[in-house]
Amino acid sequence: MAAIADPRAWPYPRHIAHRGAGKLAPENTLAAFRHGAGFGYRMFEFDVKLSADGKPVLMHDATLDRTTSGKGRVDALTLGELAQLDAGSWHGPAWAGEPVPTLAAIARYTQANGFLVNIEIKPVPGTEVRTGAAVALDAAALWAGAAVPPLLSSFSEEALAAAASVAPDLPRALLLDKLPGDWLARLHRLGCVALDANFRELDEGVIAAAHAAGYRVLSYTVNDRAKAAQLLGWGLDGLITDAVDQIAPRL
Ligand code: G3P
Ligand code: MG
């Protein structure tokens, strides 16, 4: 991949709301997206895994216990069973009854409002290939014809490789909590367009090295305003934050 020729070609905004609206609303629900949008955010990161019947749904944890009225593994319930759960009450009574969204519901909401998405493929351990392929196929169909495609990301290289094999045209970012020595080679091998790293791993040199090799750089989860300003000053392309009420999005 060549060095970035036209920095304006990147279609995504620099500010991205984490799990919809960070900790201000029940994560990974449509209510959270609406809340984040109220602060001016127009791109949203969220986590996707598969139900027992292979349907992509929004959920961070491998189990239902923390963020829903259900218990046990997410992939033990069918979509119909997941639809019975309350994914809002854990956050407070104002959010009671909020459902577990499907990827399809998020596709409808975001496209109707001109919002962009970063779909984090977060497989239940042991389901990496199946989840990467199913989420990418669904995303390609749901965003077919969209002016800007969803940006896929994952910590799982297996999931990203599976996504690439079924939907090669959807852009991919590799999530890394620690930067291994061969991070550039990994991006290249997976045909990624971006590195998406823990902010603690980034400095001006890493961002410049990524840009020189033709890759964009995103970072999670940046909740401090001074740190956000520093990273953006270094040329960061995408800042994923919980602090949607404190970090004003600029386009
Ligand atoms: O996509 C970036 C970030 O969401 C990764 O960490 O655990 O919040 O999904 P996590
Ligand atoms: Mg995530």
Side-chain angles (χ1 to χ4, degrees), residues 102 104 106 125 172 217 236:
T102 58
I106 296 301
R172 295 174 299 283
V217 184
L236 188 77

Side-chain angles (χ1 to χ4, degrees), residues 18-19 28 45-47 60 120 122 153 155 175 240:
H18 187 225
R19 306 185 195 173
N28 290 317
E45 183 270 357
F46 54 93
D47 309 294
H60 181 275
E120 184 190 338
K122 211 175 197 51
S153 62
F155 289 105
L175 277 160
I240 300 171

